[in-house]
Amino acid sequence: MTRNIVKLAALPSVFGLVALSMSIKDTEMPLDNSTDGLELFYTVPQADELDSSTIFDETKNSSLATTGKSFTGFKEALGFKESQNDYKRINQFGYLGKYQFGRSTLLLLGISDTDAFLENPVLQEKAFVANASRNKWVLRKDIKRFSGKKMNGITITESGILAAAHLAGPGSVKNYLRSGGADGFKDAFGTSVHSYLKKFGGYDISFIEANKNAKVDLES
């Protein structure tokens, strides 16, 4: 989900780098995250700031039964925030489906046929899980280090970290966490890493396994 304008926005500012050096000791920084060659700043732009606490089923014109803080609750809340759970939505930037994937990220996950992707809800759900697995691997040390800690008035959780990575890419989330919240990425619509860390905190996403090379199985 790469965009040039977001790549620029995601770069650490001078003040962010200063805050990083002041707030985090060099000896505390992970020495090797083994992310060489991985694209870390793919993003998903947001169309608005819809309230994800209510998930709406347009086919029944009623609210869905609550799924609580389960993994299903997590992905349905995030899907509602991205597209109101519309598998066929394409926004003005060309981002696709329920979870608003960019074409470059789909290619990373092994998906090249975007028309087929839009017509296949099962494939979109598989892509979401594969992308979360990839992000969890990239951010595994940050999840361990920062989960449960307070930053800018919110408690950092694993689900918040992975939701923020879906928005901004894992590289932007690394920058935010390791700068103590000073490096505040926002996408083209003004949606911030901070807002996703808060909105999607506290879900049980132990279902997601960290996988550096996660891809979608197109055969099953």
Side-chain angles (χ1 to χ4, degrees), residues 75-93:
K75 69 185 185 68
E76 291 305 305
L78 189 55
F80 184 79
K81 177 64 176 66
E82 302 289 342
S83 70
Q84 296 185 68
N85 288 328
D86 183 354
Y87 286 105
K88 296 186 178 182
R89 175 169 292 185
I90 305 175
N91 80 354
Q92 66 257 49
F93 293 100

Side-chain angles (χ1 to χ4, degrees), residues 6-93:
V6 175
K7 282 186 177 181
L8 293 175
L11 292 174
S13 65
V14 172
F15 295 105
L17 292 173
V18 172
L20 175 63
S21 63
M22 294 176 64
S23 61
I24 303 177
K25 295 180 182 179
D26 291 340
T27 56
E28 295 176 337
M29 294 292 289
L31 296 178
D32 181 15
N33 284 300
S34 301
T35 55
D36 291 347
L38 291 179
E39 187 174 0
L40 302 183
F41 291 97
Y42 44 87
T43 65
V44 180
Q46 307 305 307
D48 50 39
E49 283 296 329
L50 294 171
D51 183 0
S52 63
S53 62
T54 302
I55 304 172
F56 194 77
D57 183 354
E58 293 180 346
T59 63
K60 296 181 181 179
N61 196 31
S62 63
S63 293
L64 291 171
T66 179
T67 51
K69 290 292 186 176
S70 66
F71 173 70
T72 297
F74 172 72
K75 69 185 185 68
E76 291 305 305
L78 189 55
F80 184 79
K81 177 64 176 66
E82 302 289 342
S83 70
Q84 296 185 68
N85 288 328
D86 183 354
Y87 286 105
K88 296 186 178 182
R89 175 169 292 185
I90 305 175
N91 80 354
Q92 66 257 49
F93 293 100

Side-chain angles (χ1 to χ4, degrees), residues 63-160:
S63 293
L64 291 171
T66 179
T67 51
K69 290 292 186 176
S70 66
F71 173 70
T72 297
F74 172 72
K75 69 185 185 68
E76 291 305 305
L78 189 55
F80 184 79
K81 177 64 176 66
E82 302 289 342
S83 70
Q84 296 185 68
N85 288 328
D86 183 354
Y87 286 105
K88 296 186 178 182
R89 175 169 292 185
I90 305 175
N91 80 354
Q92 66 257 49
F93 293 100
Y95 288 78
L96 307 165
K98 176 180 176 179
Y99 300 105
Q100 293 290 277
F101 279 102
R103 287 168 172 80
S104 60
T105 300
L106 291 178
L107 287 174
L108 284 175
L109 300 175
I111 299 170
S112 58
D113 187 340
T114 55
D115 290 333
F117 177 77
L118 282 173
E119 296 296 326
N120 191 334
V122 173
L123 185 60
Q124 293 189 36
E125 296 297 337
K126 288 181 178 181
F128 178 78
V129 172
N131 190 54
S133 294
R134 181 183 290 266
N135 287 340
K136 186 169 183 177
W137 187 89
V138 174
L139 290 163
R140 66 199 185 284
K141 293 183 180 180
D142 297 276
I143 290 169
K144 182 177 181 180
R145 179 180 178 189
F146 292 104
S147 290
K149 294 185 177 180
K150 288 279 189 178
M151 191 175 295
N152 288 338
I154 63 173
T155 300
I156 304 300
T157 66
E158 180 180 29
S159 62

